[in-house]
Amino acid sequence: MIQVRSYAKINWSLRVTGKRADGFHDLETVFQLISLHDTLTFTESDRLAVTCDDLTIPTDDRNLVVKAARALGVDRVAIHIEKRIPSGGGLGGGSSNAAATLMTLSKIFSLREPLEPIALELGSDVPFFLAGGTAYATGRGEVITPVPEAPELPLLLVLPKERVSTAEAFRSLRRFSPPLGIEAYRDMSHFTNDFEEPVFARFPQLRAWKEKLYALGARWAAMSGSGSTIVGAFAGVSSRDAARSAFPDVRTETAAVLRGATRA
Ligand code: C5P
């Protein structure tokens, strides 16, 4: 039996720079791996069997863990997913599970195939999870350059009940942003998220929560990915924990910035 953590991500910044001929969009983003995680347990089995403690998550061929195992040709393993990362929250939970499955099965079965191309077929965010840490990314999100590690600011995640479909969020964009280039991201004042405008227009409460995080002392606050999670980064654990208690009616999680690569 092997247990691995499958970590979530946030986006420090996310610009959508154009529509591509293949139907996807080009991005310019800064990804950050964080400590909030699902746990995947791999055990021997005579067939491929995926289970999940969250019964709202499909465990058939729609599940990215199933797709990842099939993409590697592995059909003799049971994988149990303990879900902590909400889906539809812009935290990359499914993509992270897929990357963790690719890395773990590749190790268990001593596979030699490069994982990056398989990862990108599974989803645009999956290649980042093979790398981890803090990363600047372009293309669909797979052209990855590691950048200096982010400061270890304690994070508060506000997890609204409203879920956002990534495909719908892309369709709701009214304009594209020119890329700023990697150097611009040395300066936090350049961090933006192009999905905030359309998603906040639909769910005004999310904008209010972002503003509330700033009012509670956050050094930085923004939506993650295409939403709906709102993240605040605080100078210390005590101000972060005080802010958490100001959100009694919505699910919140605390997390830490994870530094360095996680690949075994
Ligand atoms: O790649 P992934 O499966 O995560 O993408 C989900 C949907 O989001 C895609 O089907 C596409 O509509 C949109 N998307 C996009 N450009 C990207 C990433 C995602 O248009 N770079």
Side-chain angles (χ1 to χ4, degrees):
M1 186 193 86
I2 296 178
Q3 266 195 344
V4 301
R5 289 180 173 187
S6 172
Y7 293 104
K9 60 86 179 160
I10 58 168
N11 302 76
W12 291 116
S13 189
L14 175 50
R15 295 166 77 84
V16 182
T17 57
K19 179 126 197 220
R20 302 152 53 110
D22 63 7
F24 286 88
H25 292 79
D26 278 316
L27 312 174
E28 182 183 61
T29 188
V30 182
F31 285 118
Q32 177 64 57
L33 205 70
I34 64 169
S35 60
L36 178 69
H37 61 273
D38 297 339
T39 303
L40 302 190
T41 306
F42 297 78
T43 46
E44 277 182 52
S45 169
D46 55 4
R47 64 195 177 89
L48 177 60
V50 173
T51 52
C52 184
D53 64 352
D54 178 344
L55 299 177
T56 67
I57 307 258
T59 51
D60 56 16
D61 286 354
R62 289 170 288 175
N63 192 299
L64 280 172
V65 167
V66 175
K67 288 185 183 173
R70 289 209 202 285
L72 291 176
V74 171
D75 56 5
R76 297 176 75 83
V77 67
I79 307 170
H80 181 67
I81 309 166
E82 260 178 80
K83 261 281 152 213
R84 288 282 308 287
I85 309 171
S87 59
L91 298 171
S95 301
S96 171
N97 293 171
T101 301
L102 290 178
M103 289 189 282
T104 306
L105 293 181
S106 174
K107 208 165 142 187
I108 297 177
F109 294 100
S110 306
L111 308 177
R112 300 208 174 281
E113 267 172 284
L115 299 180
E116 283 76 9
I118 304 174
L120 182 60
E121 273 191 35
L122 294 171
S124 306
D125 290 349
V126 183
F128 162 70
F129 286 104
L130 298 177
T134 310
Y136 172 81
T138 56
R140 281 170 54 194
E142 85 284 14
V143 184
I144 292 167
T145 310
V147 293
E149 287 171 336
E152 287 181 37
L153 299 174
L155 304 175
L156 179 64
L157 310 184
V158 181
L159 307 165
K161 277 196 294 291
E162 294 79 8
R163 298 288 194 246
V164 176
S165 135
T166 303
E168 265 174 43
F170 274 99
R171 282 197 294 272
S172 69
L173 290 170
R174 292 286 158 261
R175 67 183 80 86
F176 299 123
S177 307
L180 299 179
I182 191 167
E183 297 298 330
Y185 295 96
R186 290 167 187 262
D187 180 354
M188 252 190 168
S189 71
H190 288 140
F191 292 4
T192 66
N193 183 337
D194 285 347
F195 289 107
E196 286 184 355
E197 189 182 302
V199 175
F200 288 178
R202 219 174 121 204
F203 304 119
Q205 183 64 51
L206 304 192
R207 184 196 306 279
W209 282 334
K210 173 178 166 175
E211 285 166 4
K212 183 168 167 179
L213 286 169
Y214 274 117
L216 289 163
R219 295 293 173 90
W220 166 86
M223 194 171 75
S224 181
S226 57
S228 56
T229 301
I230 307 293
V231 192
F234 289 81
V237 168
S238 56
S239 56
R240 190 271 313 277
D241 290 348
R244 185 181 199 184
S245 62
F247 289 90
D249 302 325
V250 55
R251 178 178 165 198
T252 54
E253 295 280 348
T254 58
V257 164
L258 279 188
R259 311 179 93 182
T262 51
R263 191 160 185 176

